[in-house]
Amino acid sequence: MLKHPSRGTPKPGLTSLADPALNQETPPHLLDQPITPTPLFFVRNNGSLPAVRHEEAEDWVLEVTGRVARPLTLSLRELRARFPQVELTAVLECAGNGRSGFAPPVPGLAWGHGAVGCARWTGVRLADVLAAAGVAADAAYVGHESPDHALGAPGQPALSRGLPIAKALAPETLLAFGMNGAPLDPLHGFPLRVVAPGFPGAAWQKWLRRILVLDREHDGAKMTGLDYRMPRRPVQPGETPDPAIFEVITDMPVKCLITEPAADFSASGPVSVAGFAWSGAVPVERVEVSADGGANWQRAELEPGEGRWAWRRFHALLDLPGRGEVELMARAMDVAGKTQPLEPAWNPRGYLNNAVHRIRGRAV
Ligand SMILES: Nc1nc2c(c(=O)[nH]1)N[C@H]1C(S)=C(S)[C@@H](COP(=O)(O)O)O[C@H]1N2
Ligand SMILES: [Mo]
């Protein structure tokens, strides 16, 4: 097999997207576990894969600069030694997950449903690091920089995103060096990445080298224009919207995925339907399933899950309406009463598709 060292080696078993950078998603039935094993975890790269040798990892240097009293230069070794270690389980979902479901189609990677996973992350609190640096009173945002570059343009950063200062200081926001009990995988940001539970995947900067504390929103690569932004009011296909009405996505909507049965199932008698539900800042309240096109919904059992930011397993036994083609549907609802629509809310870049997940099969 041909290897592309600057792009990374694809993971076997995942679905690769047509793109110069390495982008792979997980077929939903392979997400049927509370913790997504790293070999099955989706990959989203905007550019090259930085090559970091394992023996160099502890010497990896993180710089904290900008609106701080004491700029810091910390090796990974010092980061571990100076700050308490934290582990949390959190869902990571790309804001573009589900983009292929928009009609008319939108530009961008045509993700199906599998640009999502749930992992255990180990690291230190970004808030602790920022406290050591002494954040200025006018700090409004942090900007993140990494060495990956746009493919074919070595001087151009692939992605430099950031976080509003409140999220940077929130207890769940980590600088992580571990994933699922092992050092981060190179494809997932080895040796250091941001973990920002509830925020879109784009905010989870990989291969983190530099944190800039800013007095205004960060303007790094893919922070501006329409990238990872949603319009404040609905925009119609074909309309040329004013970029001023777009704002950075800072929350993920309530959503669930059916991971059992797999697509094209055939079942006789009641079928066991299971999967996972998650959301952003507003917790999940319930999940319902339907086998008759949404005419009737049955409440599923919902397990607690591994803490506030993990996804929660749901399961139900559903009677099928008759013989022949059948479509199973699942929808989650959050504690504020928001639920998943039957059709996605179209937007120019195809973000935040949380339409009801459907699995087609046959009752025999
Ligand atoms: N440096 C860097 N960080 C990055 C990216 C990237 O291209 N470069 N992609 C982001 C996007 S858009 C997503 S969805 C997540 C995906 O994380 P994963 O590849 O570990 O699944 O990483 C984010 N962090
Ligand atoms: Mo993403």
Side-chain angles (χ1 to χ4, degrees), residues 53-302:
R53 293 213 315 270
H54 262 268
E55 9 0 316
E56 297 168 341
E58 294 299 310
D59 297 321
W60 176 269
V61 171
L62 172 72
E63 206 188 320
V64 185
T65 182
R67 314 227 28 105
V68 293
R70 296 167 295 277
L72 302 175
T73 308
L74 292 164
S75 67
L76 186 53
R77 188 179 296 107
E78 290 168 320
L79 201 68
R80 285 181 205 277
R82 267 183 79 170
F83 304 102
Q85 186 166 308
V86 181
E87 183 176 88
L88 63 80
T89 304
V91 170
L92 163 54
E93 183 182 17
C94 181
N97 193 24
R99 182 178 286 122
S100 63
F102 286 100
V106 287
L109 289 175
W111 296 107
H113 294 97
V116 62
C118 183
R120 294 195 185 105
W121 308 96
T122 310
V124 299
R125 289 200 169 89
L126 176 53
D128 291 345
V129 177
L130 292 175
V135 167
D138 64 359
Y141 227 87
V142 289
H144 296 144
E145 292 180 356
S146 307
D148 55 330
H149 57 78
L151 287 173
Q156 200 182 308
L159 184 91
S160 172
R161 295 189 48 85
L163 295 169
I165 196 71
K167 186 67 177 179
L169 296 174
E172 70 274 11
T173 302
L174 307 184
L175 302 181
F177 37 75
M179 178 181 184
N180 293 339
L184 284 177
D185 183 279
L187 290 173
H188 297 294
F190 177 79
L192 192 65
R193 82 174 305 168
V194 172
V195 163
F199 268 50
W204 297 47
Q205 188 88 17
K206 303 194 273 191
W207 313 291
L208 181 67
R209 262 258 128 100
R210 197 153 175 256
I211 301 173
L212 297 161
V213 180
L214 303 163
D215 62 0
R216 69 192 71 141
E217 195 173 277
H218 181 47
D219 62 358
K222 302 208 172 176
M223 269 304 285
T224 56
L226 306 193
D227 287 332
Y228 303 105
R229 285 174 185 254
M230 285 285 277
R232 256 187 300 271
R233 58 162 182 80
V235 168
Q236 300 311 313
E239 198 184 320
T240 307
D242 177 0
I245 70 160
F246 286 74
E247 46 190 42
V248 176
I249 301 167
T250 57
D251 195 17
M252 296 299 283
V254 68
K255 192 163 169 179
C256 70
L257 200 60
I258 298 171
T259 56
E260 182 209 330
D264 301 320
F265 70 93
S266 73
S268 59
V271 62
S272 167
V273 183
F276 291 91
W278 68 94
S279 61
V282 183
V284 173
E285 156 102 338
R286 64 153 88 188
V287 174
E288 297 169 336
V289 291
S290 170
D292 60 6
N296 293 285
W297 293 91
Q298 177 182 322
R299 192 158 177 173
E301 296 284 331
L302 188 58

